Amino acid sequence: MERTLTIIKPDAVAAGHIGDIIKIFEANQLTIKAARLVSLTKKEAEGFYAVHRGKGFFESLTTFMSSGPALAMVLEGDDAIARLRKLMGATNPANAEEGTIRKLHAQDIEHNAVHGSDAPETAAFEIAYFFPGVELA
Ligand code: GDP
């Protein structure tokens, strides 16, 4: 069993896609172990995406991620990190495979509906970022 951090981003929350996206997680044996609706400050969004500091899209990305409520969740399952990434689809929805969350719900390369950790080390950092000290269900 492996754990990963997902965020249903502000675009997908505002568009009313929380239920559709959770349905995909549940249909694919990714179990919700923790969930929190967050309204990130700009500073919190910058901390979360610190690895992208200095990139051209950093300002825009962190403004977007602090623009409204987002749903952060810990998911658990076999090979959860890689399987979530596959279910999400490519960063740019124009390149995302049919049936993926981003193909279905993303608007563009930035407003792309969902986040998923990309490795065990980042999953550990990201879970601790949103759920510090929380005992997971
Ligand atoms: P992910 O792992 O697929 O989410 O992609 P990255 O870690 O590379 O990028 C983090 C997030 O930054 C993406 O999910 C997008 O929201 C945003 N992003 C990535 N690349 C670009 C880009 O070229 N332009 C803009 N505007 N946003 C981007």
Side-chain angles (χ1 to χ4, degrees), residues 54-111:
K55 292 190 185 154
F57 58 82
F58 183 73
E59 175 61 26
S60 172
L61 170 64
T62 53
T63 297
F64 159 56
M65 288 300 291
S66 56
S67 66
L71 186 63
M73 287 180 281
V74 177
L75 300 178
E76 184 178 85
D78 285 332
D79 200 19
I81 294 172
R83 286 200 304 114
L84 172 62
R85 299 281 304 180
K86 186 143 178 59
L87 290 172
M88 284 162 50
T91 308
N92 186 344
N95 304 325
E97 280 180 44
E98 287 300 327
T100 60
I101 294 167
R102 284 169 167 168
K103 185 71 175 187
L104 289 165
H105 299 301
Q107 293 157 51
D108 56 48
I109 192 169
E110 182 173 291
H111 307 90

Side-chain angles (χ1 to χ4, degrees), residues 6-13 17 21 64 101-102 104-108 110-115:
T6 188
I7 306 172
I8 301 180
K9 294 186 180 184
D11 59 328
V13 172
H17 294 315
I21 294 171
F64 159 56
I101 294 167
R102 284 169 167 168
L104 289 165
H105 299 301
Q107 293 157 51
D108 56 48
E110 182 173 291
H111 307 90
N112 59 3
V114 70
H115 168 85

